[in-house]
Amino acid sequence: MGYCSCTVLLSRMAQKKYLQAKLTQFLREDRIQLWKPPYTDENKEGGLALKDLAKKYSDRLECCENEVEKVIEEIRCKAIERGTGNENYKTTGIATIEVFLPPRLRKIIINRLPATCTGLFYRIAETFGFQENYIKIVINKKQLQLGKTLEEQGVTHNVKAMVLELKQSEEDVRKHFQVEEEEQNKAELKEKRIQRTKRGLEILAERAEMVVDPETTPYLDIANQTGRSIRIPPSERKVSPYVSYGYHEKGRAFLKRKEYGIALPCLLMLNKYFCECCRELLDTVDNYAVLQLDIVWCYFRLEQLECLDDAEKKLNLAQKCFKNCYGENHQRLVHIKGNCGKEKVLFLRLYLLQGIRNYHSGNGEEARDYLNKARQLFKELYIDPSKVHNLLQLGFTAQEARLGLRACDGNVDHAAAHITNRREELAQIRKEEKEKKRRRLENINSLKGMGYSTHAAKQALHQASGNLDEALKVILLSNPQMWWLNDSDPETNNHQESPSQENIDQLVYMGFDAVAADAALRVFRGNVQLAAQTLAHNGGSLPPDLQLVVEDSSSTPSTSPSDSAGTSSASTDEDMETEAVNEILEDIPEHEEDYLDSTLEDEEIIIAEYLSYVENIKSATKKN
């Protein structure tokens, strides 16, 4: 009985939201201003003209007149409230914002907006009994940062804010001070965990260049639809691509656990990293499009879809990214993979969310079209459990079975062959990628053996597409200062040591000035060959940028032995990094197409629910 009552309540809420959206649309089209006469009198009470308006719109919608009148009155009151806030803002400069609280609480208007972000957190927490450390506020698609002012973060008059509650607090209230202390410790641990997550992703990204066998040393890699690695410039490895994809997997892990309040801030953070990625990369992989779907899915599951204005923008962006990545009518995808059955899961969710958004915007016909598209895709993607069982008997996993059956239109024999072929293809690709990494590591070590830094070796090989001879030309002929792209390792960064008199004499014997010889040997850490080649290439002196390096190094004091960290500290740091990496690995799925695997159980229920709303728009509130 409880489930049925909950379903009825949700149905009424959804229908009321649709009616509000539709009536707001009619009012705008008819240019009706409810806050002015004849709809509002001098005492701000509703006028008699409201009944005529309700009769007109109820006939148009074939809805109950009393229900329409109630909704129009709610819209009128809200407009007056907004108008009052606008007048106060004009005369006093005090701003007002609209705050959308978690579903169990009502929506509120906050007048006299505080000047600081901390003040806003405190006011919301104090008013509704939240703990300040356990709420997040999202405005203009961004999470508010406590260290900045509201003005710096674009919070102005009449903006809408979403409050996310990360933990229910009934138990905390009973336990008083002891539990408050525990929660504070948890908050600190959570912040440390976020930092560990970031560091773990950076470590895994850094390993990508130097690790040959992922079985012994895990690392992050980015692959295209075929499973082959995408080459990322060394300068970008520690920032956007790897960190963003790692964070996405972390956010999707929260989604799987239905922890939407934690997942949403994590996913919103990713836009910053994705914006730093090159356009070519975003058009090669579909992660950016999937991220948009995941964010809007969180909006919906948190019942805050109407709170933010960018749901439509994100869905349109997802559709555009899918087109760029998969090609027109999925032609590129079919050419690469031979089918597009598995990716249809993404389009099912896209159409479903577009249908929901249109419904809550009052666009009934558009909502029906998208929801019917979603329902048709669900029928195509539905998997007979007995077929999954048959594939399990053959030694395949349930995930492989679902993905294989969708790739092969439900044919068990074809799916078994598809899974087997895919396993063999991936094994071959991994073997080839491992060999490429081995050769690349050999080339890096060859350049390091000549005296070049690891960083310089990576940059040169990237510019030379992995060709060792071409990399040498890049460094020696066209860009000798690349040698100075030094590593952060203090053992290799010892350019401050004075060169030996013997090496200086060698360069002087070759005809170079003693001062220039000394400077060149300092830059190249005593490597006579590199110093001579660079001086000869630049007419007997160092190029200007390397001269600055010499000046900087001479003004930088060397590190004494007492300043270096002890073995105990180094051991602690290593343990912390191991812990950070392990936390990341827990949430990285083993199957490369994990994001395409879904039972579609939630989608099936939601499609049926919203189709019932749009199919009964005319009769939902009709009273015979």
Side-chain angles (χ1 to χ4, degrees), residues 94 226 299:
I94 297 175
T226 66
Y299 292 165

Side-chain angles (χ1 to χ4, degrees), residues 252 290 293 297 322 326 330 333 340-353 374 377-378 380-383 402-403 406-407 593-600 603 607:
R252 289 185 63 80
V290 176
L293 294 185
W297 186 255
F322 281 137
Y326 296 158
H330 308 162
L333 182 65
C340 60
K342 291 173 282 191
E343 282 71 17
K344 286 181 180 179
V345 168
L346 302 176
F347 287 91
L348 184 152
R349 181 164 285 190
L350 173 65
Y351 296 148
L352 173 57
L353 289 171
L377 274 182
F378 175 80
E380 293 178 22
L381 295 171
Y382 174 77
I383 296 173
R402 285 190 294 269
L403 291 169
R406 284 176 180 149
E593 292 181 326
D594 177 81
Y595 72 104
L596 299 176
D597 177 41
S598 172
T599 61
L600 300 180
E603 286 82 351
I607 289 170

Side-chain angles (χ1 to χ4, degrees), residues 357-383:
R357 190 205 64 79
N358 273 285
Y359 177 82
H360 289 296
S361 299
N363 304 320
E365 291 302 318
E366 290 85 348
R368 180 184 289 107
D369 290 343
Y370 279 119
L371 290 168
N372 281 328
K373 282 185 177 182
R375 179 170 61 178
Q376 181 58 41
L377 274 182
F378 175 80
K379 291 178 180 178
E380 293 178 22
L381 295 171
Y382 174 77
I383 296 173

Side-chain angles (χ1 to χ4, degrees), residues 3 6 10 51 86 92 132 139 147 166 183 185 301 303 307 333 338 342 394 451 475 504:
Y3 174 79
C6 181
L10 289 173
K51 290 190 175 293
N86 290 340
T92 66
E132 288 182 63
I139 295 179
L166 301 186
E183 296 301 336
N185 291 336
R301 299 306 279 179
E303 299 182 28
C307 177
L333 182 65
K342 291 173 282 191
L394 296 176
I475 297 177
I504 294 175

Side-chain angles (χ1 to χ4, degrees), residues 497-533:
E497 296 179 2
S498 299
S500 67
Q501 187 61 47
E502 181 184 354
N503 288 346
I504 294 175
D505 291 343
Q506 275 187 267
L507 292 177
V508 171
Y509 182 76
M510 296 178 193
F512 298 115
D513 178 75
V515 174
D518 180 272
L521 287 168
R522 286 179 182 274
V523 169
F524 296 117
R525 304 173 194 162
N527 189 310
V528 176
Q529 181 182 0
L530 290 174
Q533 289 173 333

Side-chain angles (χ1 to χ4, degrees), residues 480-508:
Q481 63 268 32
M482 277 193 67
W483 192 93
W484 190 244
L485 290 172
N486 59 315
D487 300 323
S488 57
D489 184 352
E491 292 184 5
T492 61
N493 191 17
N494 58 359
H495 61 279
Q496 295 170 358
E497 296 179 2
S498 299
S500 67
Q501 187 61 47
E502 181 184 354
N503 288 346
I504 294 175
D505 291 343
Q506 275 187 267
L507 292 177
V508 171

